[in-house]
Amino acid sequence: MDFEDSPQEAEFRAEAREWIARHAPFDLVKAFRSGLCARSDLVTGARDWQRKKFEAGWACLHWPKAYGGRDAAVMEKIIWDQEEAPVGALNELVLIGQGMCAPTLMHYANDAQKARHLPRIASGDEIWCQMFSEPSAGSDLAGLRTRAEPDGDDWILNGQKIWTSWAHEADFGIILTRSDPSVPKHRGLTMFYLDMRAPGVEVRPIRQANGDTVFNEVFLTDVRIPDAQRLGEVNQGWRVSLTTLMNERMSIGSGIPTGLPEILDYVTALEASGSGFSAGAAFDDKLADWACRANGLKYTSARLISALSQGREPGPEASIGKLVAGELMQDIAIETWDLLGGQVPHGDASLRARHSLVHSVLMRSPAVRIEGGSDEILRNIIGERVLGLPAEPRADKHLAFNAGPAKAAN
Amino acid sequence: MNFDFSEDQALVREQVRRLLHSHACPEMVRALLEGDLQAGQPAWQDICEMGVPATALPEALGGNGLGYLDLCVIAEELGAALVPAPVALSRFVAMEVLLGFAEAEPGAAFLQKLAEGRSIAAFADCRRPLSANVQIEGHTASGWFSLPVDGMPADLVVMVGPGGALFLLELDAAGVAIESRPLRDPSWPEQAVILDSAALLPLAAGPEAGEKLDGLLARSAVLVAFQQLGGAQRCLDDAVAYAKERTAFGREIGSFQALKHMLADLYVSVELARSNCYHGAWALMSDAPDLELAGALAHVSAANAYLACAKGNLQVHGAMGFTWDVDCHLHYRRALWLSGLLGGRQAWKQLIARTLRDEAAGRIAEADIAGQELADGL
Ligand SMILES: Cc1cc2nc3c(=O)[nH]c(=O)nc-3n(C[C@H](O)[C@H](O)[C@H](O)COP(=O)(O)OP(=O)(O)OC[C@H]3O[C@@H](n4cnc5c(N)ncnc54)[C@H](O)[C@@H]3O)c2cc1C
């Protein structure tokens, strides 16, 4: 039972920490989190940061050298992520490309495609997005309707994707389509990748509930793509998407910030401000419960990392990270809001900056409970795949897609 | 990094599990609840023969070479098996406190007897207003306090006096009487100890005694947390097994989302508790500076998980769960009892909050200047 880095790991950590301390734009990230600069400034800063990392050999370090990485061990990648966490917001722009699309490409693209795209994904020169969800297919992803029809050596795509994060910044995207509606829904899907500037692709940003604009609608009208951009076999898209989603679990399951230390610091700063404000015993009681959950999460992630370092793969049990973190961050922010009783400390700039964080957690946390598998879907996954409980009856499981509910809705 | 128990510890686990399996532990618990205060005797004897009370003791005091990680693994198995034996009372709490004062007599001599299983100790904090009313004059005590019994009654008490000084009290001494004062369905049996100028053996006094005691009880908190963890996991396993087997409305009840999601939440509570417990074990093993916080987090989180799983397990079983013969209520009682054993969740939650608030105050003092500069600069 130990937490210690091996001597090699410790050396690597020291080196990474020093490089990050010297080069990362900490102030930019702090300013963004406190509401003191715009999303577009952060995006510019994020692109610079990716390039800097790439040039110094720190980008996607666990990837093969040929693709822009340095063949580093998984543990080194994890250590890097831990050290980079304070400026983790700079990676949101590239997370989907590096964490989900790239592993899918590594698995299913041809050598020329890999050589062309992967180094550019690593350097942040190419931003990628993931077009899975549709207006009528979210949790029930396999119910999607965007059609892919063969046309000589090409495919023609028609349909609509939605909630596509970063599509407005993206150069390419992976896209899951329906290639055969006459078979049950999971068996008629095919995966492709797509140039977001191809004729017939139209991206329309959607304003989010928190005022930000990160996700989009993507309309596809007679978009022609070569068969060479197909990922995996025809009608095997469901299996390909599982590769992508498994990597999603790895990349977001490892350490989600809950906002606890920042909000605790804010409440403490308010008490120390001489205003006479006091949080009281009820807050302490909740604080202790939050700490149990937050520490439980932290050490659950340590157990996962430990398993990885021993060469074991994380299974569906990794789902608990987002499930716990999403609810926890929302609880913390709402309780703190309640504690303040509507007061906003406008007088003091540093308190106002801290206060902004409560707002951003309040308004962003609902999304964490939906994106990448809602709380309810995660509970189903835990119930069925971890605990082995019987699946729910699924009315359309064995029906041909065009004979199921999709037909009724048309 | 290897944040897990070793293969040797897995062997210890296997050995304890086999031993406990050879006893009908839940039957013994029922007998205990029905008034047989010696009901756990056969299990306790085997546990002592296996060297559990001597585990993690220094060799000079009769230790058997195993360490705290082994003791954590043992605690988890004891909790899962629902064994009625005074391991928590005697080894995890009383002995752990006594170990803090083992350099001097009388602590050392008593520890040897306890390690060999020739004596059973319990812990009583007479500062607690509802379960004690004790007056101490010099080295004699009068009044009463209550004492829990788990499988076998104690013969020795590690006692915190109303003023915070620590004493040993031998229950066969002159001026000590023990009474059973029945309650309506207590969650766990206990006795009243009546003192009439009974002689005390002083262990420590003064403010240092209190401070040291807090640190020692944090060690107990980790060990008790593992026992709670074992119980929680067992309840979850039982509930899941029943949910797969029982049918209603033409399907297994585990396919109903209300139950499936409840069980998923219980799984999450057990996993969070497990992670906090592992961290506690590490802190205990390495005498980490944040052992008090780690112990509190492990104990509260494991208490939460055990209570939630014990409630949920009974609920999943329907009316069957509300029978004397099915084990659900035994876990429900045990979960309640263990959550109160070290002073209750509230006290430990206050410790957590206090520690985190102090840390935050430190950070604020440092960051105030930097934060001001950042805001000014923008
Ligand atoms: C901020 C954000 C970013 C996103 N980015 C992307 C992206 O980049 N690419 C992409 O493809 N998608 C993205 N998504 C979409 C996301 O994957 C879906 O929103 C999610 O899968 C849920 O689908 P839905 O919104 O259609 O909700 P629905 O599936 O309609 O669900 C509605 C409600 O019903 C519940 N529900 C559904 N099925 C069940 C069931 N079987 N049991 C119990 N309850 C059920 C859900 O939990 C939810 O509460 C993003 C979403 C958000 C919020």
Side-chain angles (χ1 to χ4, degrees):
Chain A
M1 179 84 61
D2 80 76
F3 282 118
E4 302 288 312
D5 289 334
S6 69
Q8 265 169 309
E9 287 165 357
E11 196 180 313
F12 176 83
R13 188 186 295 281
E15 199 192 330
R17 181 173 298 177
E18 200 228 358
W19 193 85
I20 292 168
R22 208 136 33 83
H23 295 96
F26 292 97
D27 286 352
L28 175 70
V29 175
K30 265 194 221 151
F32 177 73
R33 296 196 71 186
S34 308
L36 298 169
C37 80
R39 162 74 67 189
S40 55
D41 297 332
L42 188 76
V43 168
T44 310
R47 286 181 186 272
D48 288 349
W49 177 237
Q50 300 309 324
R51 175 135 289 282
K52 245 194 237 170
K53 282 199 291 185
F54 182 72
E55 280 163 5
W58 294 107
C60 302
L61 42 134
H62 57 309
W63 289 9
K65 279 206 181 74
Y67 302 148
R70 56 154 99 168
D71 287 308
V74 185
M75 274 313 282
E76 291 187 341
K77 158 73 172 153
I78 288 169
I79 291 170
W80 170 267
D81 287 347
Q82 290 170 341
E83 294 300 322
E84 199 190 12
V87 291
L90 294 170
N91 289 333
E92 284 169 16
L93 176 69
V94 295
L95 209 63
I96 290 173
Q98 294 180 351
M100 295 187 254
C101 301
T104 313
L105 291 177
M106 281 184 208
H107 224 243
Y108 294 103
N110 65 36
D111 287 343
Q113 291 166 334
K114 287 192 258 196
R116 177 180 162 200
H117 293 292
L118 291 170
R120 296 175 58 79
I121 294 177
S123 67
D125 289 333
E126 273 179 19
I127 304 299
W128 282 57
C129 64
Q130 173 192 314
M131 290 168 281
F132 284 12
S133 305
E134 296 186 5
S136 62
S139 304
D140 185 9
L141 178 60
L144 61 84
R145 296 171 187 196
T146 292
R147 285 284 282 133
E149 284 159 308
D151 183 37
D153 284 342
D154 295 336
W155 292 79
I156 309 291
L157 269 50
N158 277 291
Q160 182 196 348
K161 294 290 174 178
I162 196 169
W163 321 127
T164 318
S165 299
W166 303 110
H168 58 300
E169 299 279 352
D171 305 287
F172 292 86
I174 59 174
I175 183 164
L176 192 58
T177 63
R178 180 153 314 276
S179 40
D180 185 353
S182 71
V183 293
K185 61 183 180 178
H186 292 91
R187 287 191 236 143
L189 303 174
T190 300
M191 185 84 82
F192 299 92
Y193 75 86
L194 181 71
D195 183 338
M196 295 301 284
R197 295 190 187 83
V201 178
E202 190 198 342
V203 176
R204 289 191 206 151
I206 302 176
R207 190 150 185 226
Q208 298 168 185
N210 64 345
D212 214 338
T213 304
V214 177
F215 60 32
N216 302 268
E217 291 178 288
V218 181
F219 294 90
L220 303 132
T221 313
D222 293 329
V223 178
R224 176 173 293 273
I225 49 178
D227 185 57
Q229 286 178 210
R230 174 164 48 77
L231 298 171
E233 299 300 315
V234 175
N235 292 338
Q236 292 291 312
W238 185 249
R239 177 185 299 178
V240 181
S241 76
L242 294 182
T243 313
T244 315
L245 297 174
M246 197 170 71
N247 280 289
E248 177 170 31
R249 204 143 62 199
M250 297 263 302
S251 57
I252 62 183
S254 55
I256 307 162
T258 60
L260 179 56
E262 291 88 350
I263 288 182
L264 173 60
D265 283 4
Y266 173 44
V267 170
T268 309
L270 283 173
E271 288 184 329
S273 69
S275 61
F277 170 84
S278 165
F283 179 79
D284 280 355
D285 185 65
K286 289 184 177 121
L287 173 60
D289 276 330
W290 299 332
C292 284
R293 284 196 271 163
N295 273 276
L297 258 191
K298 178 172 162 197
Y299 295 111
T300 298
S301 135
R303 283 168 53 212
L304 278 175
I305 292 170
S306 172
L308 270 175
S309 82
Q310 311 285 309
R312 278 175 276 147
E313 291 252 313
E317 57 275 8
S319 318
I320 84 170
K322 192 178 82 79
L323 178 60
V324 175
E327 273 186 329
L328 181 56
M329 65 200 284
Q330 191 169 35
D331 283 1
I332 294 173
I334 291 179
E335 292 293 345
T336 306
W337 176 259
D338 227 19
L339 180 72
L340 297 176
Q343 304 180 84
V344 180
H346 275 301
D348 177 323
S350 98
L351 287 180
R352 198 167 62 242
R354 292 186 191 277
H355 185 88
S356 291
L357 186 81
V358 179
H359 280 240
S360 58
V361 177
L362 267 179
M363 294 314 298
R364 168 66 204 178
S365 53
V368 178
R369 303 185 54 190
I370 299 167
E371 64 192 345
S374 68
D375 285 6
E376 291 72 25
I377 294 300
L378 294 178
R379 288 192 172 92
N380 280 351
I381 290 175
I382 292 171
E384 291 170 20
R385 293 208 231 128
V386 181
L387 300 178
L389 293 168
E392 294 176 69
R394 298 209 164 101
D396 57 351
K397 191 165 177 182
H398 301 291
L399 290 181
F401 177 74
N402 55 14
K407 185 181 171 217
N410 273 331
Chain B
M1 158 165 189
N2 188 5
F3 190 38
D4 204 347
F5 289 105
S6 69
E7 278 173 29
D8 285 349
Q9 283 140 13
L11 288 177
V12 171
R13 182 190 297 283
E14 211 25 67
Q15 215 183 342
V16 179
R17 187 175 290 177
R18 252 201 320 264
L19 175 92
L20 296 175
H21 215 74
S22 69
H23 290 283
C25 292
E27 287 317 313
M28 292 184 204
V29 177
R30 283 187 189 84
L32 172 70
L33 289 167
E34 282 165 331
D36 177 2
L37 297 185
Q38 315 259 354
Q41 213 268 337
W44 173 241
Q45 198 173 338
D46 277 358
I47 287 169
C48 291
E49 262 164 39
M50 199 173 195
V52 172
T55 300
L57 252 53
E59 308 257 338
L61 293 170
N64 59 9
L66 296 179
Y68 275 106
L69 294 181
D70 302 290
L71 197 53
C72 289
V73 165
I74 292 169
E76 192 181 341
E77 290 306 314
L78 294 171
L82 204 65
V83 61
V87 184
L89 287 174
S90 190
R91 175 65 193 89
F92 299 163
V93 188
M95 284 176 73
E96 213 48 49
V97 172
L98 204 46
L99 272 168
F101 304 95
E103 320 85 56
E105 294 303 338
F110 281 102
L111 271 167
Q112 293 218 347
K113 270 173 70 182
L114 290 164
E116 289 163 19
R118 286 189 288 125
S119 171
I120 296 171
F123 175 75
D125 186 344
C126 299
R127 294 171 301 183
R128 309 192 69 212
L130 300 182
S131 60
N133 185 0
V134 172
Q135 298 81 42
I136 294 182
E137 262 177 57
H139 292 161
T140 62
S142 297
W144 67 271
F145 63 86
S146 74
L147 198 63
V149 180
D150 191 10
M152 288 286 282
D155 47 60
L156 179 73
V157 175
V158 178
M159 183 174 137
V160 188
L166 279 148
F167 302 96
L168 279 177
L169 170 69
E170 291 178 280
L171 292 179
D172 59 1
V176 181
I178 292 177
E179 287 180 12
S180 289
R181 296 180 172 176
L183 292 170
R184 185 181 168 84
D185 193 23
S187 82
W188 215 258
E190 55 182 334
Q191 299 172 319
V193 179
I194 319 289
L195 305 171
D196 181 9
S197 299
L200 302 175
L201 307 172
L203 281 175
E208 317 85 68
E211 227 166 82
K212 195 163 172 187
L213 180 64
D214 289 343
L216 295 168
L217 288 176
R219 308 172 70 81
S220 309
V222 174
L223 295 166
V224 171
F226 269 93
Q227 192 171 348
Q228 294 170 310
L229 176 66
Q233 181 76 57
R234 171 55 57 85
C235 290
L236 174 63
D237 293 347
D238 288 354
V240 167
Y242 192 73
K244 287 180 189 171
E245 164 195 311
R246 172 82 177 163
T247 59
F249 299 96
R251 44 199 263 222
E252 299 96 328
I253 57 171
S255 69
F256 294 116
Q257 225 171 47
L259 289 195
K260 183 178 291 173
H261 286 193
M262 177 183 89
L263 293 168
D265 285 339
L266 295 181
Y267 168 82
V268 169
S269 76
V270 172
E271 284 306 295
L272 295 181
R274 182 175 299 285
S275 299
N276 279 316
C277 282
Y278 280 29
H279 180 235
W282 172 82
L284 178 61
M285 169 197 88
S286 51
D287 257 320
D290 65 346
L291 173 59
E292 276 192 41
L293 178 62
L297 288 166
H299 181 40
V300 174
S301 151
N304 289 346
Y306 197 9
L307 284 164
C309 290
K311 278 197 297 186
N313 185 33
L314 200 152
Q315 183 69 18
V316 167
H317 277 77
M320 190 67 95
F322 193 61
T323 59
W324 185 259
D325 288 342
V326 169
D327 293 349
C328 298
H329 75 109
L330 302 183
H331 281 290
Y332 184 72
R333 289 166 192 272
R334 174 68 92 175
L336 288 165
W337 184 68
L338 284 177
S339 89
L341 185 64
L342 292 170
R345 275 189 287 184
Q346 279 311 320
W348 291 94
K349 283 167 82 171
Q350 279 165 23
L351 187 153
I352 295 170
R354 213 167 40 238
T355 311
L356 295 183
R357 300 285 238 124
D358 288 349
E359 283 175 13
R363 281 198 301 268
I364 295 301
E366 267 175 43
D368 246 8
I369 312 150
Q372 193 61 51
E373 281 167 2
L374 169 68
D376 289 348
L378 287 156

